[in-house]
Amino acid sequence: MRSHVLNFVKPAFMEFRSLNFLNGAYTTMVDCKKLRTPVEISERKFQDACSKLHSLRSAMAVREKATKHAYHEVTETKKQFLCLGMTMEKLDQLSVVHIAGTKGKGSTCAYTESILRNCGYKTGMFCSPHLVDLRERIQINGRHLSESTFSRYFFEVYDRLLESMKNGAISDMPHYFQFLTLMALYVFLKEPVDVAILEVGIGGQYDCTNFINTAVVCGISLLDYDHEHILGSTLDEIAWQKAGIFKHQVPAITQPQHQKAMNVLIERAQAKNNPLYTVSGNVPGLNKDATNYEPFQLLNISLAIQLARVWLRDHDQENSRKQWFSDCNIQLGSTNLPVLDCDFPDFSKFTRGIKTCHIPGRLQIIKHESVSFYLDGAHTEESMKACADWFLKQCNLEMKSKSSTKMIRVLMFTVTGGRKVKNLLSILKECSFDVVIFLPNLQHNPKVIEDLKELATLENMEHCRDMQTVWYNLHQEISECQYKSTRRNTMEAVSILCPSVNDALYWCSSDVKNLVKPSYKLIGVPALLRGAAHIQLLATGSLLLVGKLLSFLNTDGL
């Protein structure tokens, strides 16, 4: 295998400037000595809010020190909520759809919100992580809050919590995700919304979103191995954590699961005396459109449809939630759940919400003249398999439409959170990439790297080197098995280390160079890239990576 590492030389000059890539134009920040307009004051306050938020402890750092049964996080969140001048009785009035899972819970939230909004209801949605803008996490009617509104609510919550900590009412300020959970619920009560869709952060049982007492309906998307150091190393342990959001006598709906996981969901549902259903993935009018919807997307959509359907039925005062109990009578030890399908009156009202729902960073394609960007934040084995299948199918369709064009495939890859790099790259090696770029989730590097020795001392680049080594070892195994790609010998793939997203993007995409500036003058571009008429670039492994790319490509989806 040929391994090529970029060399970096110090640029002739450095200019410290903040650029905003809005509508494809550069906007340089105003000199701070000049008089600020009201808009600039609003922006400054929003930046102050961002600075305060990032000064809080990270959720992951807190969880790393705690056991996977960190029940205190739920009780602490409840205590902090009460410090906002709220009551649990007031919170119980919020009409909640609570969604957990490993794969697809964010997409399920988005589809559920879009369906209910298109049915005429005022929606609130709390989701994570954000891709481009922090404000994506708290939305009203499918739109993020304005900077001034976000800032106002932020400081109302922050100041009250800070005062409560000083008075000894709480022992510490909430961590990053915990704070945003509190702020989201505070916003939804202040607005107010007809329905609040809450996406669980990690797990469910001990996730800080789970301090709410009740919900109208709970959903469980596909379960997979992720965050095992917190949730457990087996699917039944993970399922136990996710099913922790089940509420007493509240309907719950799940996608089809591995049998071990499904047994745990049934057991926990019976313990809470709540009806549990599953979905079929058969969505009239969408199953035939194979070019737009993958099978796992149809399962997410099916789950969202049924969650919205339960909420609408509960919202209709002429109906009673009790009818769900007569529909679902699961015997102890039974593995057969009632299946909800989409054959019901007025289903057509749901289709607009489905078809108009835009989920950036998930199976997203952005096409430029010389490069097609395929973006998917897959980071578990099952999601990576789906990503690879989707990428290959879309690449083949594109190649047929441009049969005379020389194309090469580029992988832009990184992972976070201690995930199993080898397992993910083993799946991606089947895609026959010509060039693989390993990089950290950085948009720039704070210091100039003059030589390879200094590059190797940086912790983030060491992580990239580790990924590159895994890739090399995988291809050694391929060589021993005399593996041959149907497209080309994958042993010829070039692997490269790059220090930031903007450097990698500038280097491999000639028609987006007006959007980015490299940190360094890059040299040594492989002939494969120099001679390519068109590049098919897959960015995956991390939603943070996808978000960084979207910020450059001017498609933030807000």
Side-chain angles (χ1 to χ4, degrees), residues 194-258:
D194 295 319
V195 56
I197 296 98
L198 299 185
E199 179 186 355
V200 167
I202 294 179
Q205 178 71 44
Y206 305 118
D207 185 78
C208 59
T209 63
N210 205 32
F211 83 95
I212 61 174
N213 290 326
T214 189
V216 173
V217 62
C218 297
I220 305 290
S221 66
L222 188 62
L223 301 180
D224 194 7
Y225 294 96
D226 199 17
H227 302 294
E228 291 102 316
H229 61 296
I230 296 173
L231 304 179
S233 58
T234 63
L235 274 182
D236 41 344
E237 287 180 305
I238 292 170
W240 188 92
Q241 294 278 356
K242 304 290 184 178
I245 67 167
F246 289 170
K247 314 293 190 293
H248 183 63
Q249 294 190 342
V250 170
I253 308 172
T254 180
Q255 291 184 8
Q257 307 284 357
H258 187 280

Side-chain angles (χ1 to χ4, degrees), residues 6 40 132 154 156 190 207 520 548:
L6 290 179
E40 291 170 281
V132 178
F154 177 90
E156 285 180 18
K190 288 290 185 179
D207 185 78
Y520 322 103
K548 297 287 192 299

Side-chain angles (χ1 to χ4, degrees), residues 401-414:
S401 66
K402 298 181 179 181
S403 57
S404 61
T405 303
K406 180 183 177 182
M407 293 188 181
I408 69 165
R409 292 179 187 169
V410 175
L411 172 64
M412 194 177 289
F413 182 86
T414 193

Side-chain angles (χ1 to χ4, degrees), residues 158-178:
Y158 185 88
D159 291 344
R160 291 177 183 180
L161 290 172
L162 186 61
E163 186 63 27
S164 298
M165 186 184 70
K166 291 178 179 178
N167 292 338
I170 55 177
S171 58
D172 201 351
M173 289 291 284
H175 59 66
Y176 185 99
F177 182 80
Q178 201 171 25

Side-chain angles (χ1 to χ4, degrees), residues 45-109:
K45 288 183 178 178
F46 175 67
Q47 293 304 320
D48 289 343
C50 291
S51 179
K52 293 287 187 185
L53 181 63
H54 286 293
S55 70
L56 299 175
R57 300 164 298 158
S58 75
M60 194 58 67
V62 172
R63 292 186 179 111
E64 289 289 350
K65 296 179 181 179
T67 67
K68 62 183 178 183
H69 302 298
Y71 63 89
H72 63 278
E73 182 164 314
V74 177
T75 57
E76 282 297 312
T77 308
K78 180 177 180 180
K79 189 185 298 185
Q80 292 159 355
F81 179 78
L82 297 176
C83 290
L84 301 179
M86 296 290 184
T87 64
M88 293 305 292
E89 290 74 20
K90 179 72 174 176
L91 182 60
D92 289 346
Q93 295 174 18
L94 195 62
S95 188
V96 173
V97 177
H98 203 183
I99 301 173
T102 309
K103 285 181 54 186
K105 66 180 187 293
S107 298
T108 302
C109 286

Side-chain angles (χ1 to χ4, degrees), residues 158-415:
Y158 185 88
D159 291 344
R160 291 177 183 180
L161 290 172
L162 186 61
E163 186 63 27
S164 298
M165 186 184 70
K166 291 178 179 178
N167 292 338
I170 55 177
S171 58
D172 201 351
M173 289 291 284
H175 59 66
Y176 185 99
F177 182 80
Q178 201 171 25
F179 183 96
L180 289 172
T181 300
L182 293 164
M183 180 178 165
L185 293 170
Y186 183 85
V187 169
F188 297 155
L189 288 169
K190 288 290 185 179
E191 282 302 306
V193 298
D194 295 319
V195 56
I197 296 98
L198 299 185
E199 179 186 355
V200 167
I202 294 179
Q205 178 71 44
Y206 305 118
D207 185 78
C208 59
T209 63
N210 205 32
F211 83 95
I212 61 174
N213 290 326
T214 189
V216 173
V217 62
C218 297
I220 305 290
S221 66
L222 188 62
L223 301 180
D224 194 7
Y225 294 96
D226 199 17
H227 302 294
E228 291 102 316
H229 61 296
I230 296 173
L231 304 179
S233 58
T234 63
L235 274 182
D236 41 344
E237 287 180 305
I238 292 170
W240 188 92
Q241 294 278 356
K242 304 290 184 178
I245 67 167
F246 289 170
K247 314 293 190 293
H248 183 63
Q249 294 190 342
V250 170
I253 308 172
T254 180
Q255 291 184 8
Q257 307 284 357
H258 187 280
Q259 196 57 59
K260 286 185 178 180
M262 188 66 84
N263 290 342
V264 174
L265 296 183
I266 292 173
E267 183 180 345
R268 297 218 71 186
Q270 291 173 331
K272 292 290 182 71
N273 191 28
N274 61 324
L276 180 63
Y277 300 86
T278 188
V279 296
S280 66
N282 180 30
V283 185
L286 297 185
N287 293 78
K288 296 179 181 179
D289 197 354
T291 60
N292 290 334
Y293 297 99
E294 299 294 326
F296 73 91
Q297 287 179 298
L298 292 171
L299 283 170
N300 294 336
I301 291 170
S302 296
L303 179 57
I305 288 171
Q306 302 303 339
L307 292 171
R309 183 184 176 193
V310 173
W311 186 88
L312 288 166
R313 183 173 292 189
D314 183 79
H315 191 72
D316 185 350
Q317 296 302 314
E318 295 181 3
N319 290 300
S320 169
R321 188 184 299 177
K322 292 181 180 179
Q323 70 184 37
W324 293 101
F325 292 90
S326 61
D327 292 344
C328 185
N329 183 21
I330 307 170
Q331 300 298 319
L332 186 63
S334 172
T335 58
N336 298 317
L337 294 184
V339 179
L340 300 177
D341 58 43
C342 297
D343 185 20
F344 57 87
D346 298 327
F347 172 72
S348 58
K349 293 181 180 179
F350 286 49
T351 56
R352 182 180 177 185
I354 297 166
K355 293 184 177 181
T356 60
C357 183
H358 174 56
I359 307 174
R362 278 85 167 179
L363 304 189
Q364 184 176 5
I365 303 174
I366 303 171
K367 293 192 175 183
H368 285 256
E369 183 178 348
S370 66
V371 61
S372 297
F373 293 92
Y374 296 88
L375 310 177
D376 188 62
H379 51 268
T380 70
E381 290 182 45
E382 287 300 318
S383 59
M384 193 60 76
K385 289 175 185 175
C387 172
D389 290 343
W390 164 76
F391 175 70
L392 286 173
K393 182 173 75 173
Q394 295 299 328
C395 281
N396 290 333
L397 288 173
E398 186 176 37
M399 289 175 70
K400 288 180 182 178
S401 66
K402 298 181 179 181
S403 57
S404 61
T405 303
K406 180 183 177 182
M407 293 188 181
I408 69 165
R409 292 179 187 169
V410 175
L411 172 64
M412 194 177 289
F413 182 86
T414 193
V415 294

Side-chain angles (χ1 to χ4, degrees), residues 118-131:
N118 278 275
C119 285
Y121 294 95
K122 183 177 181 180
T123 62
M125 183 171 71
F126 175 60
C127 56
S128 62
H130 63 275
L131 294 180

